[in-house]
Every structure is written in C-alpha cells, then in structure tokens.
Amino acid sequence: MTRPAAKGGSRASADRLARLLNLVPYLLARPGIEVAEAAADLGVTERQLREDLELLWVCGLPGYGPGDLIDMAFDGDRVTITCGAGIDRPLRLTPDEALALVVALRMLAETPGVANREAVERA
C-alpha cells in the first residue's frame, strides 16, 4: 500500500531530482569545494546539500556495483566527486527530443482513463 504524498510533495520531489541531476556535474567541475560554498551557489541549506549527497551514494548506473555508483570523497567540509557514473553534464534535450516529449505528453493528456492526468498536464 502506498501512502499519499504530502501536500506539495511531488513539487519538492521534482525540485530535488533536478537539483541532483545538476549536482554531479557541478561538483565534478569543482573538486574539493567546501560544502558551505556549494550550498550557497546552489541556493540550498548545508543540511539539504548533505542530504542530497547522502542520496547520491546510492545512485548510479544499472548493475549498482563497484564502479557503477556515484562515488565521492570528503575531506573535512570539502567534497569531491571521484566517480560521476556517466553524469558529467546536466541533461539538455535536443529540439527533436523536446518536441517528441511534448507530443507524447499531449497524447497522454487526451487519452481517456489516464490515471494521473494532473501529473501529465504539469509535466
């Protein structure tokens, strides 16, 4: 049984996902950055950044074994990504990819019986 999401939970989850996808390339470009500086640059609290870093420990490529997961090193209050698991730049869709996504979402929104039409419309 799943629990209903807290009010605003889906927005918070979407914001966190976007932040995580941008966090790895940001940190790869700034090895040894202080957590406080990174948090300020990213517009989050140090606590939120540390929570995001804790989540990154278990993210990576399918297989999820050594060499597949995002790896980082901490030296005091400094963090360095040592293995980015292929996430070396933020996601950028090509115009064709973006158009295909918009068309697919519009088709879903017009399909009778779509379980979560509101989510499709937000996307």
Side-chain angles (χ1 to χ4, degrees):
M1 174 187 254
T2 60
R3 294 184 311 196
K7 189 171 187 165
S10 62
R11 180 75 245 155
S13 296
D15 290 345
R16 188 171 194 196
L17 176 59
R19 194 170 58 248
L20 288 169
L21 289 173
N22 287 308
L23 182 58
V24 174
Y26 170 86
L27 293 174
L28 281 170
R30 295 161 184 82
I33 191 169
E34 289 185 2
V35 171
E37 181 182 350
D41 286 351
L42 297 167
V44 297
T45 65
E46 286 184 49
R47 179 180 179 192
Q48 182 61 61
L49 180 59
R50 289 181 188 279
E51 289 174 4
D52 289 346
L53 291 171
E54 289 175 10
L55 180 58
L56 283 178
W57 284 108
V58 295
C59 296
L61 299 170
Y64 307 106
D68 297 325
L69 297 176
I70 294 170
D71 196 15
M72 63 193 86
F74 289 93
D75 183 15
D77 280 342
R78 297 182 176 275
V79 62
T80 300
I81 298 285
T82 56
C83 175
I87 305 175
D88 58 350
R89 60 185 176 82
L91 176 64
R92 298 284 189 258
L93 297 177
T94 67
D96 288 342
E97 291 169 330
L99 180 61
L101 186 57
V102 169
V103 169
L105 285 168
R106 285 184 181 163
M107 288 179 62
L108 272 175
E110 295 173 7
T111 302
V114 170
N116 195 343
R117 175 170 267 121
E118 185 179 308
V120 172
E121 290 172 0
R122 278 195 319 267

PDB file of all heavy atoms in Angstrom, residues 12-13 15-21 23-24 27 39 42-59 70 72 74 81:
ATOM      1  N   ALA A  12       8.264  19.125  -4.528  1.00  0.00           N
ATOM      2  CA  ALA A  12       9.530  19.021  -3.807  1.00  0.00           C
ATOM      3  C   ALA A  12      10.390  17.906  -4.395  1.00  0.00           C
ATOM      4  O   ALA A  12      11.606  18.060  -4.541  1.00  0.00           O
ATOM      5  CB  ALA A  12       9.286  18.792  -2.322  1.00  0.00           C
ATOM      6  N   SER A  13       9.763  16.789  -4.756  1.00  0.00           N
ATOM      7  CA  SER A  13      10.497  15.677  -5.362  1.00  0.00           C
ATOM      8  C   SER A  13      11.063  16.060  -6.718  1.00  0.00           C
ATOM      9  O   SER A  13      12.206  15.735  -7.036  1.00  0.00           O
ATOM     10  CB  SER A  13       9.587  14.457  -5.514  1.00  0.00           C
ATOM     11  OG  SER A  13       9.189  13.982  -4.261  1.00  0.00           O
ATOM     12  N   ASP A  15      11.789  19.092  -7.701  1.00  0.00           N
ATOM     13  CA  ASP A  15      12.868  20.051  -7.462  1.00  0.00           C
ATOM     14  C   ASP A  15      14.140  19.329  -7.031  1.00  0.00           C
ATOM     15  O   ASP A  15      15.235  19.664  -7.480  1.00  0.00           O
ATOM     16  CB  ASP A  15      12.473  21.059  -6.377  1.00  0.00           C
ATOM     17  CG  ASP A  15      11.402  22.031  -6.837  1.00  0.00           C
ATOM     18  OD1 ASP A  15      11.152  22.138  -8.059  1.00  0.00           O
ATOM     19  OD2 ASP A  15      10.796  22.683  -5.961  1.00  0.00           O
ATOM     20  N   ARG A  16      13.975  18.320  -6.172  1.00  0.00           N
ATOM     21  CA  ARG A  16      15.150  17.582  -5.698  1.00  0.00           C
ATOM     22  C   ARG A  16      15.791  16.799  -6.831  1.00  0.00           C
ATOM     23  O   ARG A  16      17.013  16.754  -6.951  1.00  0.00           O
ATOM     24  CB  ARG A  16      14.771  16.653  -4.548  1.00  0.00           C
ATOM     25  CG  ARG A  16      16.001  16.021  -3.915  1.00  0.00           C
ATOM     26  CD  ARG A  16      15.696  15.279  -2.668  1.00  0.00           C
ATOM     27  NE  ARG A  16      16.928  14.996  -1.942  1.00  0.00           N
ATOM     28  CZ  ARG A  16      17.015  14.110  -0.980  1.00  0.00           C
ATOM     29  NH1 ARG A  16      15.950  13.438  -0.595  1.00  0.00           N
ATOM     30  NH2 ARG A  16      18.167  13.902  -0.381  1.00  0.00           N
ATOM     31  N   LEU A  17      14.983  16.176  -7.675  1.00  0.00           N
ATOM     32  CA  LEU A  17      15.533  15.431  -8.800  1.00  0.00           C
ATOM     33  C   LEU A  17      16.333  16.351  -9.710  1.00  0.00           C
ATOM     34  O   LEU A  17      17.458  16.026 -10.105  1.00  0.00           O
ATOM     35  CB  LEU A  17      14.414  14.744  -9.596  1.00  0.00           C
ATOM     36  CG  LEU A  17      14.868  14.012 -10.859  1.00  0.00           C
ATOM     37  CD1 LEU A  17      15.876  12.921 -10.526  1.00  0.00           C
ATOM     38  CD2 LEU A  17      13.668  13.443 -11.592  1.00  0.00           C
ATOM     39  N   ALA A  18      15.783  17.508 -10.035  1.00  0.00           N
ATOM     40  CA  ALA A  18      16.504  18.467 -10.877  1.00  0.00           C
ATOM     41  C   ALA A  18      17.808  18.882 -10.211  1.00  0.00           C
ATOM     42  O   ALA A  18      18.855  18.979 -10.866  1.00  0.00           O
ATOM     43  CB  ALA A  18      15.618  19.677 -11.156  1.00  0.00           C
ATOM     44  N   ARG A  19      17.753  19.118  -8.907  1.00  0.00           N
ATOM     45  CA  ARG A  19      18.955  19.522  -8.179  1.00  0.00           C
ATOM     46  C   ARG A  19      20.002  18.406  -8.205  1.00  0.00           C
ATOM     47  O   ARG A  19      21.192  18.667  -8.432  1.00  0.00           O
ATOM     48  CB  ARG A  19      18.560  19.877  -6.744  1.00  0.00           C
ATOM     49  CG  ARG A  19      19.604  20.622  -5.984  1.00  0.00           C
ATOM     50  CD  ARG A  19      19.113  21.163  -4.653  1.00  0.00           C
ATOM     51  NE  ARG A  19      18.606  20.144  -3.761  1.00  0.00           N
ATOM     52  CZ  ARG A  19      17.320  20.025  -3.405  1.00  0.00           C
ATOM     53  NH1 ARG A  19      16.416  20.859  -3.871  1.00  0.00           N
ATOM     54  NH2 ARG A  19      16.933  19.070  -2.580  1.00  0.00           N
ATOM     55  N   LEU A  20      19.584  17.161  -8.004  1.00  0.00           N
ATOM     56  CA  LEU A  20      20.521  16.037  -8.016  1.00  0.00           C
ATOM     57  C   LEU A  20      21.156  15.843  -9.380  1.00  0.00           C
ATOM     58  O   LEU A  20      22.353  15.550  -9.483  1.00  0.00           O
ATOM     59  CB  LEU A  20      19.816  14.753  -7.572  1.00  0.00           C
ATOM     60  CG  LEU A  20      19.460  14.666  -6.092  1.00  0.00           C
ATOM     61  CD1 LEU A  20      18.530  13.486  -5.842  1.00  0.00           C
ATOM     62  CD2 LEU A  20      20.699  14.578  -5.232  1.00  0.00           C
ATOM     63  N   LEU A  21      20.364  15.995 -10.445  1.00  0.00           N
ATOM     64  CA  LEU A  21      20.909  15.828 -11.797  1.00  0.00           C
ATOM     65  C   LEU A  21      21.936  16.900 -12.139  1.00  0.00           C
ATOM     66  O   LEU A  21      22.849  16.658 -12.923  1.00  0.00           O
ATOM     67  CB  LEU A  21      19.774  15.833 -12.825  1.00  0.00           C
ATOM     68  CG  LEU A  21      18.883  14.604 -12.816  1.00  0.00           C
ATOM     69  CD1 LEU A  21      17.697  14.801 -13.755  1.00  0.00           C
ATOM     70  CD2 LEU A  21      19.672  13.354 -13.198  1.00  0.00           C
ATOM     71  N   LEU A  23      23.718  18.480  -9.671  1.00  0.00           N
ATOM     72  CA  LEU A  23      24.719  18.474  -8.611  1.00  0.00           C
ATOM     73  C   LEU A  23      26.001  17.759  -9.024  1.00  0.00           C
ATOM     74  O   LEU A  23      27.102  18.254  -8.765  1.00  0.00           O
ATOM     75  CB  LEU A  23      24.130  17.830  -7.349  1.00  0.00           C
ATOM     76  CG  LEU A  23      25.020  17.790  -6.115  1.00  0.00           C
ATOM     77  CD1 LEU A  23      25.458  19.187  -5.713  1.00  0.00           C
ATOM     78  CD2 LEU A  23      24.264  17.115  -4.970  1.00  0.00           C
ATOM     79  N   VAL A  24      25.882  16.616  -9.680  1.00  0.00           N
ATOM     80  CA  VAL A  24      27.073  15.842 -10.036  1.00  0.00           C
ATOM     81  C   VAL A  24      27.981  16.619 -10.986  1.00  0.00           C
ATOM     82  O   VAL A  24      29.175  16.780 -10.700  1.00  0.00           O
ATOM     83  CB  VAL A  24      26.694  14.456 -10.603  1.00  0.00           C
ATOM     84  CG1 VAL A  24      27.932  13.716 -11.109  1.00  0.00           C
ATOM     85  CG2 VAL A  24      25.990  13.629  -9.538  1.00  0.00           C
ATOM     86  N   LEU A  27      29.670  19.489  -9.068  1.00  0.00           N
ATOM     87  CA  LEU A  27      30.758  19.073  -8.191  1.00  0.00           C
ATOM     88  C   LEU A  27      31.959  18.530  -8.964  1.00  0.00           C
ATOM     89  O   LEU A  27      33.100  18.721  -8.531  1.00  0.00           O
ATOM     90  CB  LEU A  27      30.258  18.038  -7.178  1.00  0.00           C
ATOM     91  CG  LEU A  27      29.253  18.564  -6.142  1.00  0.00           C
ATOM     92  CD1 LEU A  27      28.717  17.422  -5.295  1.00  0.00           C
ATOM     93  CD2 LEU A  27      29.881  19.646  -5.276  1.00  0.00           C
ATOM     94  N   ALA A  39      26.582  24.877  -1.206  1.00  0.00           N
ATOM     95  CA  ALA A  39      25.193  25.112  -0.798  1.00  0.00           C
ATOM     96  C   ALA A  39      24.764  26.529  -1.182  1.00  0.00           C
ATOM     97  O   ALA A  39      23.663  26.727  -1.699  1.00  0.00           O
ATOM     98  CB  ALA A  39      25.031  24.887   0.704  1.00  0.00           C
ATOM     99  N   LEU A  42      24.233  26.791  -4.905  1.00  0.00           N
ATOM    100  CA  LEU A  42      23.066  26.044  -5.371  1.00  0.00           C
ATOM    101  C   LEU A  42      21.757  26.543  -4.761  1.00  0.00           C
ATOM    102  O   LEU A  42      20.677  26.067  -5.116  1.00  0.00           O
ATOM    103  CB  LEU A  42      23.253  24.555  -5.072  1.00  0.00           C
ATOM    104  CG  LEU A  42      24.439  23.918  -5.801  1.00  0.00           C
ATOM    105  CD1 LEU A  42      24.750  22.549  -5.230  1.00  0.00           C
ATOM    106  CD2 LEU A  42      24.188  23.844  -7.291  1.00  0.00           C
ATOM    107  N   GLY A  43      21.852  27.469  -3.819  1.00  0.00           N
ATOM    108  CA  GLY A  43      20.648  28.047  -3.219  1.00  0.00           C
ATOM    109  C   GLY A  43      19.915  27.116  -2.273  1.00  0.00           C
ATOM    110  O   GLY A  43      18.687  27.165  -2.161  1.00  0.00           O
ATOM    111  N   VAL A  44      20.664  26.247  -1.581  1.00  0.00           N
ATOM    112  CA  VAL A  44      20.070  25.334  -0.595  1.00  0.00           C
ATOM    113  C   VAL A  44      20.837  25.471   0.707  1.00  0.00           C
ATOM    114  O   VAL A  44      21.926  26.038   0.746  1.00  0.00           O
ATOM    115  CB  VAL A  44      20.100  23.859  -1.075  1.00  0.00           C
ATOM    116  CG1 VAL A  44      19.263  23.670  -2.327  1.00  0.00           C
ATOM    117  CG2 VAL A  44      21.516  23.375  -1.306  1.00  0.00           C
ATOM    118  N   THR A  45      20.267  24.928   1.761  1.00  0.00           N
ATOM    119  CA  THR A  45      20.972  24.930   3.039  1.00  0.00           C
ATOM    120  C   THR A  45      22.055  23.855   3.017  1.00  0.00           C
ATOM    121  O   THR A  45      22.009  22.910   2.205  1.00  0.00           O
ATOM    122  CB  THR A  45      20.002  24.630   4.197  1.00  0.00           C
ATOM    123  OG1 THR A  45      19.498  23.298   4.046  1.00  0.00           O
ATOM    124  CG2 THR A  45      18.858  25.640   4.237  1.00  0.00           C
ATOM    125  N   GLU A  46      23.012  24.002   3.922  1.00  0.00           N
ATOM    126  CA  GLU A  46      24.051  22.972   4.023  1.00  0.00           C
ATOM    127  C   GLU A  46      23.429  21.629   4.377  1.00  0.00           C
ATOM    128  O   GLU A  46      23.853  20.589   3.868  1.00  0.00           O
ATOM    129  CB  GLU A  46      25.094  23.353   5.073  1.00  0.00           C
ATOM    130  CG  GLU A  46      26.018  24.459   4.625  1.00  0.00           C
ATOM    131  CD  GLU A  46      27.100  24.743   5.645  1.00  0.00           C
ATOM    132  OE1 GLU A  46      27.757  23.782   6.116  1.00  0.00           O
ATOM    133  OE2 GLU A  46      27.291  25.924   5.978  1.00  0.00           O
ATOM    134  N   ARG A  47      22.422  21.654   5.244  1.00  0.00           N
ATOM    135  CA  ARG A  47      21.747  20.406   5.635  1.00  0.00           C
ATOM    136  C   ARG A  47      21.129  19.723   4.408  1.00  0.00           C
ATOM    137  O   ARG A  47      21.268  18.519   4.222  1.00  0.00           O
ATOM    138  CB  ARG A  47      20.681  20.697   6.674  1.00  0.00           C
ATOM    139  CG  ARG A  47      19.938  19.449   7.097  1.00  0.00           C
ATOM    140  CD  ARG A  47      18.885  19.751   8.129  1.00  0.00           C
ATOM    141  NE  ARG A  47      18.189  18.524   8.468  1.00  0.00           N
ATOM    142  CZ  ARG A  47      17.089  18.482   9.151  1.00  0.00           C
ATOM    143  NH1 ARG A  47      16.542  19.583   9.607  1.00  0.00           N
ATOM    144  NH2 ARG A  47      16.501  17.334   9.406  1.00  0.00           N
ATOM    145  N   GLN A  48      20.438  20.506   3.551  1.00  0.00           N
ATOM    146  CA  GLN A  48      19.813  19.932   2.356  1.00  0.00           C
ATOM    147  C   GLN A  48      20.871  19.376   1.413  1.00  0.00           C
ATOM    148  O   GLN A  48      20.707  18.295   0.853  1.00  0.00           O
ATOM    149  CB  GLN A  48      18.956  20.968   1.622  1.00  0.00           C
ATOM    150  CG  GLN A  48      18.252  20.396   0.399  1.00  0.00           C
ATOM    151  CD  GLN A  48      17.311  19.265   0.731  1.00  0.00           C
ATOM    152  OE1 GLN A  48      16.361  19.462   1.466  1.00  0.00           O
ATOM    153  NE2 GLN A  48      17.572  18.075   0.223  1.00  0.00           N
ATOM    154  N   LEU A  49      21.972  20.099   1.259  1.00  0.00           N
ATOM    155  CA  LEU A  49      23.041  19.611   0.389  1.00  0.00           C
ATOM    156  C   LEU A  49      23.611  18.305   0.930  1.00  0.00           C
ATOM    157  O   LEU A  49      23.827  17.359   0.171  1.00  0.00           O
ATOM    158  CB  LEU A  49      24.137  20.661   0.233  1.00  0.00           C
ATOM    159  CG  LEU A  49      25.302  20.241  -0.653  1.00  0.00           C
ATOM    160  CD1 LEU A  49      24.832  19.892  -2.067  1.00  0.00           C
ATOM    161  CD2 LEU A  49      26.361  21.318  -0.698  1.00  0.00           C
ATOM    162  N   ARG A  50      23.810  18.229   2.220  1.00  0.00           N
ATOM    163  CA  ARG A  50      24.336  16.981   2.811  1.00  0.00           C
ATOM    164  C   ARG A  50      23.343  15.829   2.615  1.00  0.00           C
ATOM    165  O   ARG A  50      23.751  14.701   2.328  1.00  0.00           O
ATOM    166  CB  ARG A  50      24.670  17.174   4.284  1.00  0.00           C
ATOM    167  CG  ARG A  50      25.887  18.056   4.495  1.00  0.00           C
ATOM    168  CD  ARG A  50      26.234  18.220   5.977  1.00  0.00           C
ATOM    169  NE  ARG A  50      27.272  19.219   6.166  1.00  0.00           N
ATOM    170  CZ  ARG A  50      28.568  18.999   6.014  1.00  0.00           C
ATOM    171  NH1 ARG A  50      28.988  17.792   5.662  1.00  0.00           N
ATOM    172  NH2 ARG A  50      29.449  19.960   6.216  1.00  0.00           N
ATOM    173  N   GLU A  51      22.039  16.109   2.731  1.00  0.00           N
ATOM    174  CA  GLU A  51      21.031  15.078   2.480  1.00  0.00           C
ATOM    175  C   GLU A  51      21.069  14.637   1.016  1.00  0.00           C
ATOM    176  O   GLU A  51      20.940  13.447   0.715  1.00  0.00           O
ATOM    177  CB  GLU A  51      19.646  15.578   2.864  1.00  0.00           C
ATOM    178  CG  GLU A  51      19.450  15.703   4.366  1.00  0.00           C
ATOM    179  CD  GLU A  51      18.113  16.329   4.745  1.00  0.00           C
ATOM    180  OE1 GLU A  51      17.283  16.612   3.857  1.00  0.00           O
ATOM    181  OE2 GLU A  51      17.906  16.548   5.957  1.00  0.00           O
ATOM    182  N   ASP A  52      21.260  15.590   0.115  1.00  0.00           N
ATOM    183  CA  ASP A  52      21.371  15.237  -1.304  1.00  0.00           C
ATOM    184  C   ASP A  52      22.614  14.390  -1.554  1.00  0.00           C
ATOM    185  O   ASP A  52      22.564  13.403  -2.306  1.00  0.00           O
ATOM    186  CB  ASP A  52      21.427  16.501  -2.169  1.00  0.00           C
ATOM    187  CG  ASP A  52      20.104  17.243  -2.233  1.00  0.00           C
ATOM    188  OD1 ASP A  52      19.060  16.667  -1.841  1.00  0.00           O
ATOM    189  OD2 ASP A  52      20.107  18.407  -2.685  1.00  0.00           O
ATOM    190  N   LEU A  53      23.717  14.741  -0.919  1.00  0.00           N
ATOM    191  CA  LEU A  53      24.953  13.965  -1.084  1.00  0.00           C
ATOM    192  C   LEU A  53      24.779  12.548  -0.539  1.00  0.00           C
ATOM    193  O   LEU A  53      25.280  11.586  -1.140  1.00  0.00           O
ATOM    194  CB  LEU A  53      26.120  14.669  -0.390  1.00  0.00           C
ATOM    195  CG  LEU A  53      26.560  15.980  -1.038  1.00  0.00           C
ATOM    196  CD1 LEU A  53      27.568  16.702  -0.147  1.00  0.00           C
ATOM    197  CD2 LEU A  53      27.126  15.751  -2.425  1.00  0.00           C
ATOM    198  N   GLU A  54      24.058  12.403   0.578  1.00  0.00           N
ATOM    199  CA  GLU A  54      23.787  11.070   1.122  1.00  0.00           C
ATOM    200  C   GLU A  54      22.977  10.231   0.140  1.00  0.00           C
ATOM    201  O   GLU A  54      23.198   9.030   0.010  1.00  0.00           O
ATOM    202  CB  GLU A  54      23.057  11.175   2.455  1.00  0.00           C
ATOM    203  CG  GLU A  54      23.918  11.677   3.587  1.00  0.00           C
ATOM    204  CD  GLU A  54      23.140  11.900   4.874  1.00  0.00           C
ATOM    205  OE1 GLU A  54      21.963  11.482   4.955  1.00  0.00           O
ATOM    206  OE2 GLU A  54      23.716  12.499   5.797  1.00  0.00           O
ATOM    207  N   LEU A  55      22.044  10.860  -0.564  1.00  0.00           N
ATOM    208  CA  LEU A  55      21.251  10.139  -1.553  1.00  0.00           C
ATOM    209  C   LEU A  55      22.106   9.744  -2.761  1.00  0.00           C
ATOM    210  O   LEU A  55      21.938   8.662  -3.326  1.00  0.00           O
ATOM    211  CB  LEU A  55      20.063  10.984  -1.999  1.00  0.00           C
ATOM    212  CG  LEU A  55      19.141  10.368  -3.046  1.00  0.00           C
ATOM    213  CD1 LEU A  55      18.563   9.037  -2.562  1.00  0.00           C
ATOM    214  CD2 LEU A  55      18.014  11.330  -3.380  1.00  0.00           C
ATOM    215  N   LEU A  56      23.038  10.598  -3.144  1.00  0.00           N
ATOM    216  CA  LEU A  56      23.892  10.291  -4.297  1.00  0.00           C
ATOM    217  C   LEU A  56      24.734   9.035  -4.088  1.00  0.00           C
ATOM    218  O   LEU A  56      25.094   8.372  -5.047  1.00  0.00           O
ATOM    219  CB  LEU A  56      24.811  11.471  -4.624  1.00  0.00           C
ATOM    220  CG  LEU A  56      24.161  12.641  -5.342  1.00  0.00           C
ATOM    221  CD1 LEU A  56      25.172  13.756  -5.557  1.00  0.00           C
ATOM    222  CD2 LEU A  56      23.551  12.216  -6.664  1.00  0.00           C
ATOM    223  N   TRP A  57      25.033   8.701  -2.825  1.00  0.00           N
ATOM    224  CA  TRP A  57      25.826   7.499  -2.543  1.00  0.00           C
ATOM    225  C   TRP A  57      25.184   6.243  -3.138  1.00  0.00           C
ATOM    226  O   TRP A  57      25.872   5.279  -3.452  1.00  0.00           O
ATOM    227  CB  TRP A  57      25.968   7.260  -1.043  1.00  0.00           C
ATOM    228  CG  TRP A  57      26.934   8.132  -0.331  1.00  0.00           C
ATOM    229  CD1 TRP A  57      26.619   9.133   0.525  1.00  0.00           C
ATOM    230  CD2 TRP A  57      28.360   8.093  -0.374  1.00  0.00           C
ATOM    231  NE1 TRP A  57      27.764   9.717   1.007  1.00  0.00           N
ATOM    232  CE2 TRP A  57      28.848   9.100   0.474  1.00  0.00           C
ATOM    233  CE3 TRP A  57      29.278   7.296  -1.069  1.00  0.00           C
ATOM    234  CZ2 TRP A  57      30.208   9.335   0.660  1.00  0.00           C
ATOM    235  CZ3 TRP A  57      30.627   7.538  -0.876  1.00  0.00           C
ATOM    236  CH2 TRP A  57      31.084   8.538  -0.032  1.00  0.00           C
ATOM    237  N   VAL A  58      23.854   6.229  -3.261  1.00  0.00           N
ATOM    238  CA  VAL A  58      23.163   5.030  -3.726  1.00  0.00           C
ATOM    239  C   VAL A  58      22.625   5.192  -5.148  1.00  0.00           C
ATOM    240  O   VAL A  58      21.776   4.421  -5.578  1.00  0.00           O
ATOM    241  CB  VAL A  58      22.024   4.627  -2.763  1.00  0.00           C
ATOM    242  CG1 VAL A  58      22.582   4.222  -1.416  1.00  0.00           C
ATOM    243  CG2 VAL A  58      21.015   5.755  -2.601  1.00  0.00           C
ATOM    244  N   CYS A  59      23.103   6.175  -5.868  1.00  0.00           N
ATOM    245  CA  CYS A  59      22.672   6.406  -7.252  1.00  0.00           C
ATOM    246  C   CYS A  59      23.785   6.012  -8.207  1.00  0.00           C
ATOM    247  O   CYS A  59      24.961   6.138  -7.886  1.00  0.00           O
ATOM    248  CB  CYS A  59      22.329   7.887  -7.467  1.00  0.00           C
ATOM    249  SG  CYS A  59      20.941   8.456  -6.485  1.00  0.00           S
ATOM    250  N   ILE A  70      27.745   6.453  -8.084  1.00  0.00           N
ATOM    251  CA  ILE A  70      28.415   7.735  -7.904  1.00  0.00           C
ATOM    252  C   ILE A  70      29.229   7.627  -6.631  1.00  0.00           C
ATOM    253  O   ILE A  70      28.755   7.128  -5.614  1.00  0.00           O
ATOM    254  CB  ILE A  70      27.383   8.871  -7.815  1.00  0.00           C
ATOM    255  CG1 ILE A  70      26.671   9.008  -9.163  1.00  0.00           C
ATOM    256  CG2 ILE A  70      28.038  10.179  -7.395  1.00  0.00           C
ATOM    257  CD1 ILE A  70      25.467   9.924  -9.139  1.00  0.00           C
ATOM    258  N   MET A  72      32.102   9.627  -3.979  1.00  0.00           N
ATOM    259  CA  MET A  72      32.647  10.926  -3.586  1.00  0.00           C
ATOM    260  C   MET A  72      33.560  10.753  -2.396  1.00  0.00           C
ATOM    261  O   MET A  72      33.509   9.743  -1.687  1.00  0.00           O
ATOM    262  CB  MET A  72      31.523  11.913  -3.300  1.00  0.00           C
ATOM    263  CG  MET A  72      30.623  11.552  -2.149  1.00  0.00           C
ATOM    264  SD  MET A  72      29.118  12.534  -2.112  1.00  0.00           S
ATOM    265  CE  MET A  72      28.094  11.580  -3.211  1.00  0.00           C
ATOM    266  N   PHE A  74      35.145  12.921   1.023  1.00  0.00           N
ATOM    267  CA  PHE A  74      35.028  14.069   1.915  1.00  0.00           C
ATOM    268  C   PHE A  74      36.357  14.273   2.609  1.00  0.00           C
ATOM    269  O   PHE A  74      36.975  13.321   3.076  1.00  0.00           O
ATOM    270  CB  PHE A  74      33.930  13.841   2.962  1.00  0.00           C
ATOM    271  CG  PHE A  74      32.554  13.877   2.386  1.00  0.00           C
ATOM    272  CD1 PHE A  74      31.925  12.719   1.970  1.00  0.00           C
ATOM    273  CD2 PHE A  74      31.877  15.085   2.259  1.00  0.00           C
ATOM    274  CE1 PHE A  74      30.653  12.748   1.433  1.00  0.00           C
ATOM    275  CE2 PHE A  74      30.600  15.129   1.723  1.00  0.00           C
ATOM    276  CZ  PHE A  74      29.988  13.957   1.311  1.00  0.00           C
ATOM    277  N   ILE A  81      33.663  14.691  -6.113  1.00  0.00           N
ATOM    278  CA  ILE A  81      33.099  13.521  -6.795  1.00  0.00           C
ATOM    279  C   ILE A  81      34.261  12.784  -7.441  1.00  0.00           C
ATOM    280  O   ILE A  81      35.009  13.358  -8.235  1.00  0.00           O
ATOM    281  CB  ILE A  81      32.078  13.942  -7.874  1.00  0.00           C
ATOM    282  CG1 ILE A  81      30.892  14.676  -7.263  1.00  0.00           C
ATOM    283  CG2 ILE A  81      31.640  12.739  -8.711  1.00  0.00           C
ATOM    284  CD1 ILE A  81      29.907  13.801  -6.538  1.00  0.00           C
TER     285      ILE A  81
END
